[in-house]
Amino acid sequence: MPEARLIDGRGMEPPEPLELAVAALGSLAPGEELVMLLNCEPLPLYAILERSGYRYRSERRSDGSNEIHIQKA
Amino acid sequence: MQPTLSFEQAPPISVPFRFFLTAPLFGAAAGLILAWLGPAALESRWAPGALAMTHLIVVDFMLQAMCGSLLQFVAVVAGANIWRPHLVATLVHPLITAGAVFLATAFLLEEQLLFLLAAGAFAAAMGLFLTVMALALLRTPARGMPIHVLRLALLGLLLTVVLGVTLAATLGMQESVQSVWSLLTLINVHVAWGLAGWALMLVIGVSYLVVPMFQLTPAYPPWLTRALPAGLLLVLCLWSLQLLPNLAGAQAWQSGVAVAGVLLAGLYALATLWLQARRRRRQADVTLVFWRGAMLSLLAFAVSWLAFDALPQFGNHARAPLWLGVLALPGVFLSVIIGMLYKIMPFLNWLHLQRQGGTAMPPPNMKQMIPEGAQRGQMRLHFAALALLLAAVLWPALALPAGLAFSASCLWLEWNLVGAARVYTRFRDRIRAAASQAADSARP
């Protein structure tokens, strides 16, 4: 199983994490996972993922940040 | 709670862009009026040139930019459905533009008919805009302090417009409402609602979202987020009591109310600067520097007001209100607006292009849409123009260079924003060409 790619956007100025995520989606292999760490719930990213055929799962971490797992649908 | 933004409701890009691309042109016109009229425009706040410049800045620059942003912001932040945003923008944008041109020309030429035309244009434009906004904000399921403050700001805009239209109609008909209120009382209340109830309230509401989110600062303390808008509203209501005839003479009491309002504004500026000093990222981008400049101007405004109150020999000077006006308009509000435009336009470009191109054709990098060097250069010119404008209030002989510098700064801003719009159209055309090429090759 390929290793997950990580974008830690917690110290980045929005919308940089969104930009990086969209750039990474294009090269995401089937079965490969993109993991994002963010301080906010990325509603615009969810909309993009739904439109572009990706599935995602979001978890709230104990420090209040969000962990989002993205894969090709 | 971390605020969130939703982008599915965003109106077409042409809706906000028409407002953004018009706004700086009228700032440039205001600068040229100052350069043309010279020291005469700075004799007092009542000089025709000063009134014309002020209204070009507050209506055609600030109101244009704020209306354009709100059409976007309300849909995105409040998830509110705006009734036919394209139609609203098509009607409101030319009406505001025409209204402000009528008003500025009316002040310069002292022409009654133009005041009436301005009153009619503003009543129609703002009547429509405020109705659409009120409906959207009343129906939205979104909650939270930024939404409440946004509602208060729109109430402030409503009262500013009602008083402004009354004043313009009064000047246009040479009909005096002075049997009920003195013109000065109406102007005092109009200016207070316009600057504090509308513009500052809007900046406060927006900052609750954008300062922590985009500048990576801690959140504003919850008690402060409640106290600032509530305190400001209370001050404005007390200040408006001067419209009651039997309270018209309560000068000393009113002066205390104004000081309370100014202290609240100063507290907000200090809190924002304090948060910005504690941000998680050390690198200061152009938008952050614009916000800092705005907050320092607000602090300088508060200190100047208190000094003028304590030292009447300065406070009673005919040019003292101009000093405050320069700090408030180009200093506070234009700095925030320009800083935000440099973030909003590239982001809207990116968002709309991403929708069109999908993941197959990712949009260009947001940071390259308006070159950083061009933003920084324009910012330096903006603050240099602000310093020159303040110097021209002290030494009116500097009116010509101050006016030209301000005008040049606004034109440079326009150039930068047009550049961003061109990036959008170029990339959109590439997406369309690729789509039609793909359709052609798919044909048997």
Side-chain angles (χ1 to χ4, degrees):
Chain A
M1 194 173 157
E3 211 174 296
R5 271 195 269 172
L6 175 72
I7 296 176
D8 185 351
R10 288 172 300 178
M12 292 180 196
E13 189 184 316
E16 200 182 340
L18 182 64
E19 219 171 4
L20 291 176
V22 169
L25 288 179
S27 59
L28 202 63
E32 193 183 8
E33 194 171 64
L34 174 65
V35 179
M36 296 190 71
L37 299 177
L38 295 170
N39 287 324
C40 62
E41 190 86 4
L43 296 184
L45 176 64
Y46 295 162
I48 290 170
L49 293 174
E50 280 162 21
R51 262 202 319 267
S52 319
Y54 292 84
R55 62 188 148 99
Y56 63 89
R57 153 174 78 80
S58 172
E59 288 165 17
R60 177 59 68 99
R61 290 155 51 111
S62 56
D63 62 356
S65 63
N66 293 285
E67 188 173 315
I68 300 114
H69 297 257
I70 303 165
Q71 276 191 327
K72 264 193 173 155
Chain B
M1 193 188 79
Q2 276 290 341
T4 50
L5 303 175
S6 145
F7 293 92
E8 286 309 282
Q9 311 281 350
I13 202 163
S14 69
V15 167
F17 273 21
R18 75 189 68 197
F19 291 94
F20 299 159
L21 293 175
T22 318
L25 295 175
F26 290 93
L32 289 180
I33 288 177
L34 178 59
W36 177 260
L37 293 176
L42 297 174
E43 272 169 10
S44 78
R45 66 185 286 203
W46 310 115
L51 287 165
M53 288 187 299
T54 302
H55 286 87
L56 279 174
I57 291 174
V58 293
V59 180
D60 250 336
F61 198 138
M62 284 167 54
L63 187 63
Q64 292 270 14
M66 286 164 152
C67 283
S69 307
L70 271 182
L71 283 169
Q72 183 72 38
F73 194 78
V74 164
V76 166
V77 174
N81 278 317
I82 292 181
W83 178 79
R84 304 187 65 178
H86 196 265
L87 177 66
V88 171
T90 306
L91 293 171
V92 169
H93 172 254
L95 280 169
I96 297 180
T97 309
V101 172
F102 288 144
L103 189 60
T105 323
F107 281 124
L108 287 173
L109 305 178
E110 296 179 29
E111 176 61 54
Q112 284 175 255
L113 177 65
L114 290 171
F115 279 114
L116 286 179
L117 288 171
F122 286 132
M126 291 294 99
L128 175 60
F129 180 79
L130 284 164
T131 306
V132 169
M133 282 291 150
L135 285 175
L137 278 176
L138 287 174
R139 287 182 186 160
T140 174
R143 295 281 173 273
M145 199 45 77
I147 309 290
H148 293 314
V149 183
L150 211 55
R151 289 189 181 122
L152 285 182
L154 286 171
L155 172 72
L157 177 60
L158 172 68
L159 294 171
T160 310
V161 170
V162 168
L163 290 160
V165 166
T166 308
L167 281 163
T170 304
L171 291 168
M173 291 186 284
Q174 291 285 300
E175 281 276 333
S176 182
V177 286
Q178 300 206 25
S179 53
V180 188
W181 300 299
S182 76
L183 217 50
L184 185 61
T185 306
L186 274 181
I187 293 168
N188 278 343
V189 181
H190 166 70
V191 171
W193 280 101
L195 288 183
W198 155 238
L200 185 59
M201 196 74 91
L202 184 64
V203 168
I204 289 175
V206 169
S207 69
Y208 288 172
L209 265 179
V210 303
V211 169
M213 188 186 269
F214 291 91
Q215 298 171 12
L216 303 175
T217 71
Y220 283 87
W223 68 267
L224 190 70
T225 62
R226 287 189 294 272
L228 278 173
L232 215 48
L233 184 66
L234 178 67
V235 161
L236 285 161
C237 290
L238 291 173
W239 179 253
S240 306
L241 289 179
Q242 60 187 289
L243 290 173
L244 298 177
N246 53 345
L247 281 170
Q251 291 282 332
W253 183 68
Q254 287 292 337
S255 148
V257 169
V259 166
V262 163
L263 287 175
L264 279 173
L267 175 66
Y268 165 67
L270 278 175
T272 307
L273 288 167
W274 184 79
L275 288 176
Q276 286 169 340
R278 272 150 194 77
R279 57 201 205 91
R280 297 196 293 274
R281 202 181 209 191
R282 289 298 103 197
Q283 199 185 344
D285 73 350
V286 168
T287 301
L288 176 77
V289 182
F290 266 118
W291 270 89
R292 275 191 176 147
M295 292 304 118
L296 288 171
S297 298
L298 187 54
L299 210 53
F301 177 95
V303 170
S304 302
W305 185 291
L306 297 176
F308 289 158
D309 206 54
L311 305 165
Q313 66 271 33
F314 295 114
N316 292 335
H317 194 284
R319 291 200 299 275
L322 294 177
W323 175 267
L324 295 171
V326 170
L327 283 172
L329 302 182
V332 180
F333 296 117
L334 292 194
S335 300
V336 167
I337 288 171
I338 299 171
M340 290 305 294
L341 283 176
Y342 282 149
K343 277 274 181 276
I344 295 170
M345 281 195 71
F347 187 38
L348 289 181
N349 270 356
W350 189 90
L351 189 74
H352 284 266
L353 290 172
Q354 202 286 326
R355 269 189 186 180
Q356 293 168 43
T359 47
M361 276 186 85
N365 189 300
M366 262 176 273
K367 289 204 169 109
Q368 288 159 10
M369 288 185 186
I370 305 176
E372 167 89 12
Q375 292 184 35
R376 234 167 244 287
Q378 192 275 327
M379 179 185 74
R380 289 195 186 108
L381 185 55
H382 169 78
F383 286 120
L386 174 62
L388 269 171
L389 286 167
L390 287 170
V393 173
L394 298 175
W395 301 286
L398 290 173
L400 176 68
L404 289 178
F406 182 65
S407 204
S409 153
C410 293
L411 288 174
W412 195 346
L413 170 66
E414 177 73 13
W415 178 256
N416 288 346
L417 299 185
V418 167
R422 288 179 61 201
V423 168
Y424 173 80
T425 49
R426 268 204 305 270
F427 202 80
R428 180 202 59 192
D429 293 346
R430 275 177 56 193
I431 293 171
R432 285 180 181 171
S436 83
Q437 215 170 16
D440 283 347
S441 57
R443 242 175 248 145

